[in-house]
């Protein structure tokens, strides 16, 4: 795994070849202040726009800002430069791969979409394709190696965006190149290539074909894990997998991963998997245990503090338990369901929502605004699962500690 030859990657390059974009001038570095815009910045070509659409349909929305043109972005240029500093055992293959514009842009998208999820303290993959891919890569290279690849990619992105001189960009590329071995390069190939099933419908036999076959890994002869719905890597290194069919192969998979927890599609634990608390109502979602537990813990605190009318994921009501509706509904959604809702001892309604995934932030902010419009006499809060306050509304004249 630590070496990768040109012969191995030629079948992949052949597959990329049929989606060859028209020849364009070589990338040139335009160093502006970070975040600055220029009227001369190039726009994405039609082939890149098509590639983006295909990639995002597989992995979901980007978690980091996507430049107007990835082909001419600092990240893409830094990736191309990094091959100079890679080990002898992979340098020639990497230079061949990174000379293909389609592959280079796909790797850049991988950084902004898939690897960006590893910025979270406990990375969470809610898109079924990304969840299945994470399990597969964990089986192939291990969680530690997979995490190292993700962090190296994210460090390159951060340093490339912050670079203000060609020398700084070259230094960032050098650090990345020296941190990438054969195993890491194979991970990049898998993540970048499998995001383009329509553009690359079939990789010719040979070389990397085994890694790029459909995501139907069946550990130790068990059933294929094609029904995974979510994957989370928790702080202790455990891989928490949820899916309709995942529990059927829990024993075999856990044997290969050493530490994992699996849950079936009904939220029930398989083996030593996490159990969902239901003291205050049915699970908020059976596919996201941390979200459910945050709700249960918050309601328990409120009960201790003397709150009444404890509600878990139920339609929004006011302090008198009357249904309330948004007078300016977005996409015809007239009412919301707060994750937690209760009435304080002083009679004020208090609603809270949680954001599990950064990619859902816009949706949760819209829901927050809708709840405020529906009841301006209530306290409304929006938190991330780690307890970070994102937004708060407190009615005029209401005390809040």
């Amino acid at each position: 795994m630590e070496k990768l030859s040109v012969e191995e990657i030629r079948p992949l390059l052949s597959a990329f070849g049929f989606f060859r974009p028209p020849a364009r001038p070589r990338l040139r570095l335009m160093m502006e202040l970070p975040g600055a815009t220029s009227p001369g910045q190039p726009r994405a070509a039609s082939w890149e726009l098509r590639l983006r659409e295909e990639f995002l349909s597989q992995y979901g929305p980007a978690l980091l800002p996507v430049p107007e043109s990835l082909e001419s972005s600092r990240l893409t240029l830094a990736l191309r430069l990094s091959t100079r500093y890679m080990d002898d055992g992979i340098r020639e293959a990497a230079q061949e791969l990174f000379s293909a514009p389609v592959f280079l842009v796909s790797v850049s998208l991988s950084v902004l979409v898939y690897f960006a999820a590893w910025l979270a303290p406990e990375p969470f993959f809610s898109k079924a394709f990304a969840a299945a891919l994470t399990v597969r890569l964990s089986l192939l290279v291990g969680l530690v190696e997979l995490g190292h690849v993700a962090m190296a990619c994210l460090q390159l992105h951060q340093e490339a965006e912050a670079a203000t001189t060609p020398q700084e960009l070259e230094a960032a590329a050098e650090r990345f190149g020296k941190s990438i071995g054969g195993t890491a390069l194979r991970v990049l190939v898998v993540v970048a290539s499998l995001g383009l099933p329509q553009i690359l419908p079939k990789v010719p036999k040979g070389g990397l074909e085994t890694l790029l076959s459909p995501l139907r890994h069946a550990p130790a002869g068990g059933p294929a894990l094609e029904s995974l719905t979510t994957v989370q890597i928790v702080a202790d290194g455990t891989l928490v997998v949820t899916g309709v069919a995942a529990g059927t192969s829990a024993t075999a998979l856990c044997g290969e991963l050493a530490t994992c927890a699996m849950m079936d599609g009904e939220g029930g634990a398989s083996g030593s998997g996490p159990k969902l608390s239901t003291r205050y109502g049915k699970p908020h979602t059976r596919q996201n245990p941390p979200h459910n537990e945050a709700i249960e813990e918050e309601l328990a605190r409120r009960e201790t503090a003397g709150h009444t009318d404890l509600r878990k994921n139920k339609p929004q009501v006011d302090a008198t338990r009357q249904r309330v509706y948004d007078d300016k509904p977005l996409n015809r959604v007239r009412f919301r369901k707060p994750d937690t809702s209760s009435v304080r001892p002083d009679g004020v309604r208090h609603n809270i929502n949680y954001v599990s995934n950064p990619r859902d932030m816009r949706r949760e902010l819209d829901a927050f605004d809708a709840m405020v419009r529906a009841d301006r006499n209530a306290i409304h809060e929006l938190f991330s699962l780690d307890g970070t306050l994102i937004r708060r509304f407190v009615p005029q004249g209401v005390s809040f500690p």
Side-chain angles (χ1 to χ4, degrees):
M1 290 282 281
E2 279 305 307
K3 293 185 181 296
L4 188 64
S5 67
V6 174
E7 288 69 27
E8 286 185 85
I9 57 96
R10 275 178 179 159
L12 178 61
L13 288 174
S14 174
F16 275 118
F18 89 89
F19 187 73
R20 183 177 292 113
R24 297 182 65 170
R26 290 184 62 85
L27 294 174
R28 62 190 181 91
L29 183 60
M30 299 173 62
M31 302 303 298
E32 309 97 355
L33 291 176
T37 59
S38 169
Q41 286 182 331
R43 293 185 175 276
S46 58
W47 69 266
E48 182 183 322
L49 294 175
R50 178 188 167 197
L51 187 149
R52 287 194 200 191
E53 181 180 0
E54 185 70 28
F55 199 95
L56 297 178
S57 70
Q58 291 288 102
Y59 284 98
L63 301 181
L64 293 172
V66 180
E68 187 72 27
S69 169
L70 277 166
E71 187 187 14
S72 57
S73 68
R74 297 181 186 183
L75 174 60
T76 300
L77 180 54
L79 284 166
R80 187 191 294 274
L81 294 172
S82 70
T83 59
R84 304 176 184 177
Y85 306 100
M86 292 183 183
D87 184 75
D88 291 342
I90 64 171
R91 185 185 304 122
E92 188 178 1
Q95 288 174 338
E96 290 273 357
L97 282 169
F98 283 54
S99 66
V102 175
F103 179 78
L104 200 56
V105 170
S106 298
V107 174
S108 297
L109 282 169
S110 301
V111 176
L112 303 176
V113 179
Y114 176 73
F115 292 118
W118 292 77
L119 280 170
E122 296 186 341
F124 181 76
F125 303 91
S126 59
K127 186 83 169 179
F129 176 82
L133 178 62
T134 302
V135 171
R136 182 182 195 168
L137 290 173
S138 300
L139 291 166
L140 290 171
V141 304
L143 280 175
V144 173
E145 178 69 23
L146 186 53
H148 286 165
V149 176
M151 291 303 109
C153 289
L154 293 170
Q155 181 179 358
L156 177 65
H157 172 263
Q158 292 166 354
E159 292 181 350
E161 286 299 299
T164 57
T165 66
Q167 292 76 19
E168 290 177 352
L169 193 71
E170 184 86 33
E174 180 179 359
R175 281 188 287 272
F176 178 77
K178 290 181 176 179
S179 70
I180 295 296
T183 302
L185 182 57
R186 290 172 191 269
V187 169
L188 290 178
V189 169
V190 171
V191 178
S193 301
L194 289 181
L196 310 174
Q198 301 303 318
I199 293 174
L200 298 175
K202 182 175 177 59
V203 177
K205 290 187 178 299
L208 294 165
E209 181 207 9
T210 302
L211 291 178
L212 299 176
S213 59
L215 294 177
R216 292 177 57 88
H217 183 82
L225 297 177
E226 55 186 333
S227 299
L228 299 180
T229 53
T230 67
V231 163
Q232 182 178 19
I233 297 94
V234 297
D236 64 359
T238 300
L239 190 71
V240 179
V241 181
T242 304
V244 175
T248 62
S249 52
T251 302
L253 181 60
C254 289
E256 295 192 31
L257 286 180
T259 57
C260 75
M262 311 227 16
M263 299 177 60
D264 59 32
E266 296 302 316
S270 176
S272 60
K275 297 182 182 298
L276 296 177
S277 301
T278 56
R279 178 181 178 185
Y280 296 97
K282 64 181 182 180
H284 171 268
T285 170
R286 297 182 183 277
Q287 299 175 2
N288 188 352
H291 196 130
N292 181 75
E293 299 311 300
I295 295 172
E296 289 276 329
E297 292 169 5
E298 176 62 26
L299 288 172
R301 286 191 290 269
R302 294 189 183 192
E303 186 174 27
T304 301
H307 287 223
T308 58
D309 193 28
L310 303 169
R311 300 168 63 88
K312 177 182 179 182
N313 192 36
K314 292 184 178 180
Q316 186 179 356
V317 297
D318 62 17
T320 65
R321 302 186 184 183
Q322 298 298 308
R323 288 281 296 274
V324 292
Y325 300 90
D326 182 7
D327 58 3
K328 297 179 181 178
L330 183 65
N331 297 326
R332 299 183 180 180
V333 180
R334 297 186 60 236
F335 70 91
R336 304 288 172 163
K337 291 184 177 181
D339 286 339
T340 72
S341 182
S342 63
V343 176
R344 304 194 313 180
D346 63 358
V348 177
R349 173 69 64 179
H350 188 174
N351 300 315
I352 286 183
N353 270 354
Y354 295 96
V355 181
S356 295
N357 194 320
R359 71 182 63 180
D360 298 327
M361 185 65 72
R362 183 66 267 166
R363 184 188 68 192
E364 294 296 340
L365 289 171
D366 288 341
F368 177 88
D369 292 338
M371 290 195 299
V372 172
R373 287 194 297 268
D375 185 7
R376 300 190 67 84
N377 294 317
I379 298 170
H380 303 279
E381 293 180 298
L382 179 63
F383 287 92
S384 60
L385 282 187
D386 64 4
T388 302
L389 176 66
I390 299 170
R391 188 166 293 183
R392 173 182 289 147
F393 173 84
V394 179
Q396 186 174 5
V398 172
S399 64
F400 192 85

